[in-house]
Amino acid sequence: CGTRWFPRRGARGLWGLDCATMPALPVLGGAGPAPRVDLAIITDPGPDPDDVKALLVAAVLHNQRELRLRAVVCNGGGAPEARAALARALLDHVGAVDVPVGIGTTGVPRVAAPHEYRLPGHETVDRDRLGNGHGILMRALRSSRDRSLTVCLISSLRDFADAIDTDATLVERKVRVVAIMGGLEPDPTSPHGWKPDSSVNNNFDAAAASRVYAFCLARGVPMSVVSRN
């Protein structure tokens, strides 16, 4: 496993997107080279700007065929359906209507701030367009080529831990790298010498974080871990 450490931005605030005036970006279809990266994102959009910005960048690159966004799973805050609707509305605004969005695990309930869902179209998203997050993630894994899928975890690690528990062999075979906004710290008492640190995403579900890191270390699945340290 290769672990890389980067500084993590600690500022929080409004995400500042005026999607009411944002033109839909063209979807580039037809003939052309296959996207170079297959990507699945597990995220918790709403409270902070980073998740929404990550989705926006991924959607633009998906439209430009630089990557193929195979799954977006939204979790946490006791409101995974509302967060999935936010992701669906954002992707629709920029023309990434073909990207599947799923409702993930519930997580710890919290009271949403007034700004979190102020995106035109959020309230009118057809809930029938929001799938089961676990099912969408497992389909993305099953339909991916071996060692091809990049999994980006920028929220609770529970949904990916559940995928591992469903079919660890499949996850090991299909995943190219797991990119995690979290953190590890040395621990000589742990089987592989590392344990999850106290970062927020790890602490959303400590058992799930331990499961994911231990799985990757044990199976040799590469990780790129973005830490606050």
Side-chain angles (χ1 to χ4, degrees), residues 8-9 15 43-44 47-55 154 181:
R8 181 182 180 186
R9 181 189 56 77
W15 24 276
T43 179
D44 54 357
D48 300 325
D50 52 347
D51 296 80
V52 172
K53 291 175 180 178
L55 285 174
I154 51 177
M181 179 180 280

Side-chain angles (χ1 to χ4, degrees), residues 33-41 58-59 61-71 99 144-145 147-152 174-179:
R36 292 179 288 182
V37 176
D38 283 350
L39 177 65
I41 299 178
L61 294 175
H62 174 84
N63 287 345
Q64 295 174 344
R65 296 181 62 85
E66 291 294 322
L67 61 79
R68 177 166 47 184
L69 189 51
R70 299 185 67 99
V99 175
S144 295
R145 294 172 290 106
R147 301 290 190 274
S148 70
L149 185 65
T150 296
V151 179
C152 179
K174 298 293 187 173
V175 171
R176 183 179 73 90
V177 64
V178 183

Side-chain angles (χ1 to χ4, degrees), residues 125-202:
V125 167
D126 183 354
R127 265 40 181 187
D128 289 339
R129 296 181 64 208
L130 305 177
N132 175 276
H134 183 71
I136 284 175
L137 181 57
M138 296 307 296
R139 283 195 296 276
L141 287 162
R142 293 187 184 106
S143 62
S144 295
R145 294 172 290 106
D146 288 357
R147 301 290 190 274
S148 70
L149 185 65
T150 296
V151 179
C152 179
L153 308 178
I154 51 177
S155 60
S156 166
L157 278 62
R158 168 50 57 191
D159 294 82
F160 190 56
D162 287 348
I164 293 169
D165 288 340
T166 296
D167 194 336
T169 300
L170 177 72
V171 174
E172 179 184 0
R173 190 171 80 248
K174 298 293 187 173
V175 171
R176 183 179 73 90
V177 64
V178 183
I180 306 173
M181 179 180 280
L184 288 163
E185 59 187 21
D187 179 13
T189 67
S190 297
H192 303 283
W194 297 90
K195 68 177 182 179
D197 69 6
S198 61
S199 59
V200 171
N201 287 341
N202 287 344

Side-chain angles (χ1 to χ4, degrees), residues 67-92:
L67 61 79
R68 177 166 47 184
L69 189 51
R70 299 185 67 99
V72 173
V73 178
C74 300
N75 64 16
E81 182 175 335
R83 290 177 172 184
L86 177 62
R88 178 75 276 159
L90 178 67
L91 293 172
D92 288 352

